[in-house]
Amino acid sequence: GVDFVYDPCCDWYGFGSGWTLVQPLVTDCPAGKVMMSGSCQACPATGRCLETTTKYGACVCVKCDCGYSGEQCQTPPPPVYEVQCGNMVANSACINMQQAAVSATAEWLERPAQGDTCLTRCAARGTLLGTGGCCYFFNLQQTACRFFPGIGTETVSQSYKSTAECTRVLIPHTC
């Protein structure tokens, strides 16, 4: 447990884990301070650490910057991925998109008026699913937008069919 309670006049409180109860009590200074050069000094918040306290008489961090974690803010945040789609290419379709097994995996993304809107929807769906794939835009008398996870593109003769390759990319940590 973390030393959040300090009461120098009285006996200690019966809460915490069993491990906490067998640890030596450090009551020289209140929580958030340690004994240095004969007096209680506040634990410094340095580096990625935004807020400190004490644990068994040693300074630890309780709030880290930029998604880091750990008692010394040593653990980086988990990686973040998103799907980004390239430009629409006319006269192309998703590979084997007419096969029942492939068509069954496609995500219907409504009937946007523009291919750019379809690209935005495909990127969002790919990010949600955690995979790249093929963004398909059909524009004849009506429009249609579909995202095919994990599928590539191929050239076809119909100019009303367009696709874009969508790729899962790692977003660099900005802190």
Side-chain angles (χ1 to χ4, degrees), residues 81-145:
Y81 294 91
E82 75 177 20
V83 170
Q84 297 175 351
C85 298
N87 295 324
M88 282 286 181
V89 176
N91 296 76
S92 62
C94 300
I95 297 173
N96 299 324
M97 66 184 281
Q98 299 301 326
Q99 292 180 1
V102 174
S103 184
T105 66
E107 299 277 333
W108 171 255
L109 303 175
E110 300 179 9
R111 297 186 183 280
Q114 302 294 322
D116 288 348
T117 304
C118 184
L119 283 173
T120 302
R121 291 179 182 180
C122 286
R125 186 56 55 97
T127 298
L128 181 69
L129 297 173
T131 185
C134 176
C135 184
Y136 174 73
F137 184 66
F138 176 91
N139 190 4
L140 196 53
Q141 293 173 337
Q142 294 185 20
T143 63
C145 179

Side-chain angles (χ1 to χ4, degrees), residues 78-84 168-174:
V80 175
Y81 294 91
E82 75 177 20
V83 170
Q84 297 175 351
R168 186 174 183 242
V169 295
L170 176 65
I171 302 303
H173 192 68
T174 56

